[in-house]
Amino acid sequence: MAHSAGTSVHLIADIADASGLDDLPLIEATLREAAKAARVRVLDVRLHHFGAGMGVTGVALLAESHISIHTWPEDGLAAVDLFVCGETADPEAGLETIRQRLRGTVRERHTIRRLRVSGATPFP
Amino acid sequence: MAHSAGTSVHLIADIADASGLDDLPLIEATLREAAKAARVRVLDVRLHHFGAGMGVTGVALLAESHISIHTWPEDGLAAVDLFVCGETADPEAGLETIRQRLRGTVRERHTIRRLRVSGATPFP
């Protein structure tokens, strides 16, 4: 990875009452804007649409790990995770961008400190 | 998504003392074998190698969500997450496949039930 393991945060959230969940270009734009807000660098974005009116899977591969989104338009739900490394990354800002873009409510969230190694090199 | 939101599990684990972490073909094979063990269907696999001797990011997009892996060969660490939907999916078996392939130890893990919606359609 481009950044030390010692500063890794995994932010996991479900977003309810969301809209635009079957809109592939919107989901791609949302991932890219979330990465910008989180101050991380996108290497690649991959998307898959399960069919007209159905959900979307989107993953942004980052220099600092990944952001993913999976959507269920029929339930108004999106499952999001932002896994970022590096002291300057701001996953909360990324999540807030996604919530705003999808006009939903964050219903459940978990913040997990990943890879808490005694031997890990501190960032930078 | 191809499966209901009502049966979603997100299994998160750090693997320590692991090997093969800078081996791109091994990481790709590991993702594909983990998906098979977890009884989920791979739509696409994306990989990024940060350079010779450095870490790898790999994400498998699934019909049932995703599996990701990020590695730090310098620390012997891999960060894994398996997000799967559907009653037949077995994320534990997927994680065990990854652990065996990387010959490491699962050090920290979290199992998160995602998208617990009262209105969600039960699977199948």
Side-chain angles (χ1 to χ4, degrees):
Chain A
M1 297 294 302
H3 291 272
S4 155
T7 54
S8 302
V9 173
H10 204 157
L11 177 57
I12 287 172
D14 298 342
I15 299 175
D17 304 318
S19 55
L21 300 178
D22 61 343
D23 182 339
L24 202 72
L26 173 69
I27 298 295
E28 175 165 8
T30 298
L31 283 170
R32 292 187 183 278
E33 288 168 21
K36 190 173 178 185
R39 297 199 292 271
V40 291
R41 186 163 64 88
V42 174
L43 302 171
D44 193 8
V45 173
R46 303 304 294 183
L47 297 147
H48 181 83
H49 199 168
F50 288 90
M54 296 177 69
V56 172
T57 278
V59 178
L61 276 72
L62 308 176
E64 300 84 357
S65 293
H66 74 261
I67 302 174
S68 82
I69 183 164
H70 305 284
T71 72
W72 286 263
E74 64 274 29
D75 298 314
L77 290 171
V80 173
D81 77 309
L82 304 98
F83 181 9
V84 296
C85 310
E87 283 184 350
T88 58
D90 186 349
E92 297 284 349
L95 175 60
E96 177 57 17
T97 295
I98 295 171
R99 190 200 63 71
Q100 284 179 10
R101 265 294 213 167
L102 304 181
R103 290 174 288 167
T105 308
V106 173
R107 207 198 19 216
E108 188 162 338
R109 54 182 293 155
H110 303 267
T111 304
I112 300 173
R113 300 289 301 186
R114 302 291 306 263
L115 303 160
R116 289 176 296 186
V117 218
S118 55
T121 327
F123 180 84
Chain B
M1 296 291 302
H3 293 271
S4 155
T7 54
S8 303
V9 173
H10 204 156
L11 177 58
I12 287 173
D14 298 341
I15 298 175
D17 304 320
S19 54
L21 299 178
D22 62 343
D23 182 340
L24 201 72
L26 173 70
I27 298 296
E28 175 167 6
T30 298
L31 283 169
R32 292 187 183 277
E33 289 169 20
K36 191 174 178 184
R39 297 200 291 271
V40 291
R41 186 163 62 89
V42 174
L43 301 172
D44 193 9
V45 174
R46 303 304 296 182
L47 296 147
H48 181 83
H49 199 167
F50 289 88
M54 295 177 71
V56 172
T57 278
V59 178
L61 277 71
L62 309 176
E64 300 84 358
S65 294
H66 75 261
I67 302 174
S68 83
I69 183 165
H70 305 283
T71 73
W72 287 263
E74 64 274 28
D75 297 314
L77 289 171
V80 174
D81 78 311
L82 304 98
F83 182 9
V84 296
C85 309
E87 283 185 349
T88 58
D90 186 350
E92 297 284 347
L95 175 59
E96 176 57 17
T97 295
I98 296 171
R99 190 201 63 72
Q100 284 179 11
R101 265 293 212 166
L102 304 180
R103 289 174 288 167
T105 307
V106 173
R107 207 201 15 220
E108 189 161 338
R109 54 181 295 154
H110 303 266
T111 303
I112 300 173
R113 299 289 301 186
R114 303 290 305 264
L115 303 160
R116 289 177 295 186
V117 218
S118 55
T121 326
F123 180 85

